[in-house]
Amino acid sequence: MTGIDAARPSAGPAPLTAEMEADYHRDGFLLLPADHLPADLLAELVAAVPGILAQQGPQRVLERDAVTVRSVYGPHRTDPVVARISRSAHLAGAARQLLDDEVYVHQSKINLKAAFAGDQWEWHQDYINWRDRDGIARADLVNVTVFLNEVNEFNGPLTFIPGSHRYGLLDGTDTDGMPVGYEDGPNWMATLTATEKFQVDRSAIRRLAEQGGLVNPKGPAGSVLMFHPNVLHASSPNLSPFDRAMLLMVYNGVHNAPRPVDNPRPEFLAEREIAPIALSV
Ligand code: 6CS
Ligand code: FE
């Protein structure tokens, strides 16, 4: 039986070992080996990326320089290859395991982090946006990221504070107004740029980093990185001559579907149609 009223997911593909699950819950992130995704699936995905980055429309967000692509949102809705990969047991099955629920994609994006020009992401927790803007009641979501290039110490890897997800949403300051360079943009742009709208208190970041350290998972294209919506993370600008493109898919449990909100964000940022994914291979 499937459907939102169904109990918990029936037995199905379980790509993660018990040890991997424990690591994820302890650290708030988990890097899977590069061969987790079948090579043909990865090759198809990599081939689809230029077309996605060339999409015209509000779902494409530029860097402050107004020419370099920063992100393209919602490719699971517009691109058949990403749509298929989003349903694969390798990814959606792993999300289902971690959330212990049927899942659907709340948000997807390609973050390009272009060679020379890709800008930073300041320290943040993802969940604050999904709670406050999209009406999602619990932090029962998981980011599943596929590296589309090699990620190394030079091209702006995501950096985590292990264990920081266990403290829930941290205190900070919600800034008003639009970030520099985006003054004329729509309101929803404020949480998607190099300047975070919600600034987590630096004293908390320092304390958690002193306790947990910093880790930046690296690996070849095809590596899969999963991370918790409350884990503190950031990344530096990409000064290297190598792109650092990633596909990120945010899976939510169907029992955690968004409640209605005033001013809902566009559907390319926040899915409103909740249909549990039927896993494919
Ligand atoms: O606004 C959002 O939904 C998002 N913003 C950030 C900074 N991270 C995660 C999420 O995609
Ligand atoms: Fe984030």
Side-chain angles (χ1 to χ4, degrees):
M1 184 163 98
T2 57
I4 293 172
D5 293 333
R8 294 297 160 181
S10 50
L16 306 178
T17 63
E19 194 187 350
M20 288 170 169
E21 281 196 52
D23 286 354
Y24 174 85
H25 291 300
R26 185 194 60 224
D27 295 336
F29 63 90
L30 174 69
L31 179 67
L32 301 177
D35 63 358
H36 181 76
L37 265 192
D40 53 340
L41 217 60
L42 175 65
E44 272 187 273
L45 174 60
V46 169
V49 172
I52 297 168
L53 294 177
Q55 287 180 8
Q56 300 294 316
Q59 74 277 18
R60 188 170 83 156
V61 175
L62 301 178
E63 300 285 6
R64 261 184 292 219
D65 65 12
V67 289
T68 308
V69 176
R70 177 172 175 85
S71 306
V72 177
Y73 286 84
H76 75 290
R77 305 167 57 90
T78 58
D79 184 88
V81 175
V82 176
R84 193 148 41 80
I85 283 179
S86 75
R87 296 191 294 268
S88 91
H90 308 284
L91 304 177
R96 210 166 84 150
Q97 240 184 305
L98 292 178
L99 298 178
D100 193 23
D101 197 356
E102 302 279 352
V103 297
Y104 70 95
V105 177
H106 172 61
Q107 182 188 84
S108 70
K109 59 195 175 255
I110 288 186
N111 281 348
L112 175 59
K113 203 44 112 71
F116 301 114
D119 211 344
Q120 68 190 18
W121 293 84
E122 288 187 314
W123 285 108
H124 68 279
Q125 297 171 299
D126 293 340
Y127 177 57
I128 195 160
N129 295 314
W130 304 331
R131 186 192 68 175
D132 293 356
R133 286 163 197 277
D134 303 335
I136 295 182
R138 295 187 311 270
D140 294 342
L141 310 90
V142 59
N143 285 284
V144 177
T145 301
V146 182
F147 294 180
L148 302 170
N149 305 109
E150 179 188 284
V151 174
N152 54 41
E153 62 269 51
F154 307 112
N155 60 359
L158 264 165
T159 301
F160 297 100
I161 300 181
S164 53
H165 64 302
R166 289 191 244 124
Y167 300 86
L169 284 175
L170 301 164
D171 290 340
T173 309
D174 198 5
T175 59
D176 285 332
M178 294 300 290
V180 175
Y182 300 85
E183 290 83 353
D184 299 329
N187 276 342
W188 49 258
M189 191 73 88
T191 64
L192 310 178
T193 77
T195 316
E196 281 294 330
K197 177 170 163 51
F198 188 84
Q199 293 278 324
V200 177
D201 288 348
R202 289 187 167 168
S203 55
I205 301 172
R206 193 178 302 113
R207 183 170 34 80
L208 289 165
E210 280 167 1
Q211 203 176 296
L214 302 176
V215 176
N216 51 7
K218 297 177 272 276
S223 304
V224 173
L225 173 65
M226 312 183 76
F227 62 98
H228 191 279
N230 273 338
V231 76
L232 262 173
H233 59 288
S235 64
S236 301
N238 182 3
L239 299 176
S240 86
F242 308 113
D243 288 343
R244 191 228 64 176
M246 289 180 182
L247 169 67
L248 293 100
M249 288 178 296
V250 183
Y251 293 93
N252 189 19
V254 296
H255 288 80
N256 194 31
R259 302 186 176 146
V261 289
D262 294 337
N263 304 316
R265 299 200 291 176
E267 289 188 320
F268 55 80
L269 289 177
E271 182 64 60
R272 292 269 150 204
E273 282 187 21
I274 314 310
I277 289 174
L279 298 188
S280 64
V281 188

